[in-house]
Amino acid sequence: MLSSSNVSTPQQQLQQQHVRIEGHDQQVVTNSPTLSSTTLSIAESKELTGLTHECGVFGAIACGDWPTQIDIGHVICLGLVALQHRGQESAGIATSEGKCSKNFNVHKGMGMISTLFNDDSMKKLRGNLGIGHTRYSTAGASEVVNCQPFVVHTAHGAMALAHNGEVVNNESLRREVLARGVGLSTHSDSELIAQSLCCAPEGVSEHDGPNWPARIRHFMMLAPLSYSLVIMLKDKIYAVRDTYGNRPLCIGKIVPINSGHAVNSTETPADGWVVSSESCGFLSIGARYVREVEPGEIVELTREGYRTVDIVERPEFKRMAFCIFEYVYFARGDSIFEGQMVYSVRLECGRQLWREAPVEADIVSSVPESGTAAAHGYARESNLEFAEVLCRNRYVGRTFIQPSTRLRQLGVAKKFGALSENVAGKRLVLIDDSIVRGNTIGPIIKLLRDAGAKEVHIRIASPPLQYPCYMGINIPTREELIANKLNAKQLARQVGADSLAYLSVAGLVQTVQRKHVASGKPTGHCTACLTGEYPGGLPDELSW
């Protein structure tokens, strides 16, 4: 465990900086012995335009009397652990005791949650409310200065902000902020958003103090997508979701330990409230899922509870555009989106995949972990046996979100082993959730062939990825996407598969929306990375 109070030991190799932001003390930790937020410069960093991020945000506030008996810092830390799959490069927590508007307690830095937070650092994160962030970025922005939560000191006190997504029209928003004479020290959208919120919009009266909902609304009108935000002030938290609902955000209730399975009961007292990118960590912190933050909604959380303070509408001719790739890959299986568990959707995707692309085989298996639910669905629909064929080394990170192709390719060799007894002499259907660059599936097939597989048929529980994402997913260029170079038959030959087939776009959308169609509830999903149809147009076409 790494500690901000014991950072000079050779084993830990940490460097700690104390960064002063207009009277605000932060502790920033980096795993590099030479990297410093004070020595980084724009000239030293790589080209940062067109970057995408895939992150997790979390916030918690205690109800009742303050100081609270709930350890808010630990609640947030555990919430971030549950969101670790959304980002593994940096993390941070900011807390407030609710009394002083000038200072927050902040600890953040590069690395995993487990390396950044220990007993010593957690003692410094006492408070009655707080927010946290875990981050993944492309390589160019993987710097300590971009760690979140981002804290600024406004004329009305400190404000902390954590952000998931990417502001599509960030260049025009950056010009608008710079035109006010505001300097920006990073390339982070989070700083840009924070500085945008620091000035009151024209025509808004603030004689009795800052009108934060009006400021947030003004920002949302300037930047319709893509973001989910948690914003902390002295004694309250705002949860904000863009008008298209592109990035996820949900609310949970911290309940007494002996509450059991009481869900959403108004009679169950609230010990506190949480807001998170995903609901997967709620049970582990003693919270219960309540609902999603609706597209365009601004939710205010205080010690008295939560309430909707405003809803910013999107244009009438525009539909909701929740990222469909959250179902396919990013989210944890036990998270709930749009009233349905991610695992159940992936299971149904496997069923639909069999209907579209059946094949004669002996067993069905998966590339763990995110392909497993779809593989079970494929097996159930086809009446084939499901059997594990790959043994995963759980101490190796995701290959999709490592910075370089070389690391991805090297990662495959140490990531899996083959269960030879389940493979030898068998015709195998191997289910994976997606193919992005095509670097990993070939070595996996070779591994299975070497273990004695007679046939290996690849089935992908999502359509081919063909377009970059400008809204928060690491799909930077069309040239990197293997589906733009090879069709399914060509790719099968290249990777050594007997056959390869994808789930269709129509099949994926139908599966994701099946419950909504049955209930008549309006819905909509962003399929830009699959179809090239962007909900707000391409960045250089935007007029907002």
Side-chain angles (χ1 to χ4, degrees):
M1 297 288 287
L2 302 180
S3 166
S4 60
S5 63
N6 187 22
V7 294
S8 59
T9 62
Q11 292 83 1
Q12 292 172 334
Q13 292 187 327
L14 291 179
Q15 180 178 16
Q16 178 176 306
Q17 303 91 36
H18 292 276
V19 183
R20 188 80 171 171
I21 301 181
E22 297 188 41
H24 178 83
D25 285 317
Q26 298 186 70
Q27 290 184 324
V28 184
V29 180
T30 171
N31 288 331
S32 168
T34 58
L35 184 63
S36 165
S37 62
T38 58
T39 59
L40 285 169
S41 68
I42 296 175
E44 292 170 331
S45 65
K46 296 182 180 180
E47 179 60 35
L48 300 182
T49 57
L51 296 178
T52 55
H53 310 275
E54 206 270 311
C55 310
V57 299
F58 194 91
I61 187 167
C63 293
D65 296 332
W66 289 356
T68 179
Q69 297 301 307
I70 297 175
D71 193 329
I72 288 294
H74 275 89
V75 167
I76 297 170
C77 187
L78 290 174
L80 293 180
V81 168
L83 297 176
Q84 186 77 86
H85 59 283
R86 298 186 68 86
Q88 298 152 31
E89 288 188 359
S90 68
I93 295 174
T95 63
S96 169
E97 295 180 21
K99 298 181 295 185
C100 178
S101 63
K102 293 183 178 180
N103 294 292
F104 292 154
N105 305 312
V106 181
H107 186 82
K108 60 182 180 177
M110 305 299 292
M112 303 280 280
I113 309 293
S114 59
T115 63
L116 288 171
F117 299 100
N118 62 11
D119 289 340
D120 290 330
S121 59
M122 296 308 298
K123 288 176 183 177
K124 300 169 185 176
L125 291 172
R126 292 177 180 150
N128 298 304
L129 66 156
I131 64 173
H133 186 268
T134 183
R135 183 173 190 261
Y136 168 74
S137 73
T138 50
S142 182
E143 302 169 350
V144 68
V145 293
N146 287 326
C147 295
Q148 298 183 44
F150 197 87
V151 182
V152 295
H153 200 78
T154 75
H156 306 284
M159 175 181 68
L161 180 143
H163 164 232
N164 169 218
E166 183 172 5
V167 178
V168 176
N169 62 323
N170 58 56
E171 288 303 316
S172 63
L173 187 62
R174 186 177 298 274
R175 288 192 296 269
E176 192 269 340
V177 170
L178 293 174
R180 300 182 196 161
V182 176
L184 297 171
S185 60
T186 75
H187 288 266
S188 167
D189 280 353
S190 303
E191 183 190 19
L192 186 61
I193 297 168
Q195 295 292 359
S196 179
L197 294 172
C198 284
C199 295
E202 293 183 11
V204 175
S205 175
E206 295 192 337
H207 296 300
D208 298 326
N211 187 336
W212 291 108
R215 293 184 181 205
I216 296 170
R217 166 179 268 275
H218 178 67
F219 161 74
M220 295 175 72
M221 297 298 291
L222 292 174
L225 54 79
S226 159
Y227 47 84
S228 284
L229 308 173
V230 287
I231 304 166
M232 182 176 71
L233 303 170
K234 178 185 75 171
D235 57 359
K236 63 184 64 175
I237 294 172
Y238 288 102
V240 182
R241 195 173 177 201
D242 71 59
T243 58
Y244 289 80
N246 186 252
R247 304 255 62 87
L249 196 62
C250 62
I251 300 169
K253 175 197 259 187
I254 301 177
V255 297
I257 295 176
N258 58 0
S259 295
H261 187 60
V263 179
N264 296 346
S265 172
T266 56
E267 298 177 0
T268 303
D271 286 344
W273 298 93
V274 292
V275 60
S276 176
S277 293
E278 296 183 38
S279 62
C280 53
F282 284 178
L283 289 177
S284 65
I285 59 170
R288 302 293 182 267
Y289 174 85
V290 176
R291 68 172 180 87
E292 290 182 298
V293 176
E294 295 297 326
E297 186 179 14
I298 304 172
V299 176
E300 181 185 77
L301 297 95
T302 67
R303 63 202 296 180
E304 283 80 30
Y306 76 90
R307 66 188 182 103
T308 301
V309 294
D310 202 353
I311 296 179
V312 181
E313 301 289 345
R314 63 182 174 272
E316 291 184 2
F317 59 91
K318 294 289 188 178
R319 297 183 62 191
M320 180 180 170
F322 178 56
C323 174
I324 208 164
F325 214 61
E326 292 282 355
Y327 285 109
V328 171
Y329 183 86
F330 282 124
R332 219 170 79 173
D334 54 338
S335 289
I336 297 172
F337 295 145
E338 304 176 303
Q340 54 190 348
M341 190 162 283
V342 171
Y343 181 90
S344 299
V345 173
R346 291 175 179 167
L347 189 79
E348 190 62 28
C349 283
R351 292 183 180 274
Q352 181 65 23
L353 185 57
W354 161 257
R355 300 180 195 120
E356 294 183 7
V359 64
E360 291 187 7
D362 300 310
I363 59 173
V364 177
S365 193
S366 67
V367 178
E369 300 283 339
S370 51
T372 302
H376 278 291
Y378 194 97
R380 293 179 190 181
E381 192 71 11
S382 63
N383 291 319
L384 292 171
E385 176 190 358
F386 174 88
E388 293 184 10
V389 299
L390 293 172
C391 184
R392 183 189 180 99
N393 180 352
R394 299 180 187 277
Y395 301 96
V396 179
R398 285 186 171 191
T399 55
F400 177 41
I401 57 176
Q402 290 176 342
S404 71
T405 299
R406 181 174 177 273
L407 284 177
R408 294 187 195 96
Q409 293 171 330
L410 289 175
V412 175
K414 60 185 179 182
K415 194 171 184 179
F416 295 111
L419 300 175
S420 302
E421 289 184 358
N422 290 351
V423 173
K426 299 290 180 63
R427 298 173 300 171
L428 166 66
V429 182
L430 188 69
I431 310 293
D432 203 357
D433 59 351
S434 59
I435 294 181
V436 183
R437 298 171 177 90
N439 293 326
T440 62
I441 195 67
I444 289 174
I445 294 171
K446 183 180 185 303
L447 184 70
L448 294 172
R449 298 271 193 202
D450 292 344
K454 183 178 179 181
E455 296 178 8
V456 180
H457 301 273
I458 302 299
R459 293 294 181 268
I460 307 300
S462 65
L465 281 164
Q466 296 181 293
Y467 299 90
C469 176
Y470 303 104
M471 291 164 286
I473 295 179
N474 181 35
I475 309 174
T477 64
R478 294 197 68 184
E479 288 73 20
E480 287 188 85
L481 302 174
I482 193 67
N484 289 321
K485 301 175 183 177
L486 304 172
N487 61 32
K489 289 185 178 181
Q490 293 169 333
L491 181 57
R493 286 196 296 270
Q494 176 166 305
V495 300
D498 291 278
S499 70
L500 186 148
Y502 297 92
L503 182 65
S504 67
V505 175
L508 176 61
V509 172
Q510 173 188 324
T511 300
V512 169
Q513 296 183 356
R514 73 191 192 285
K515 283 192 175 181
H516 300 279
V517 171
S519 65
K521 182 180 178 180
T523 187
H525 295 88
C526 177
T527 59
C529 58
L530 311 174
T531 64
E533 298 173 3
Y534 296 89
L538 293 171
D540 57 354
E541 295 177 347
L542 298 175
S543 59
W544 344 293

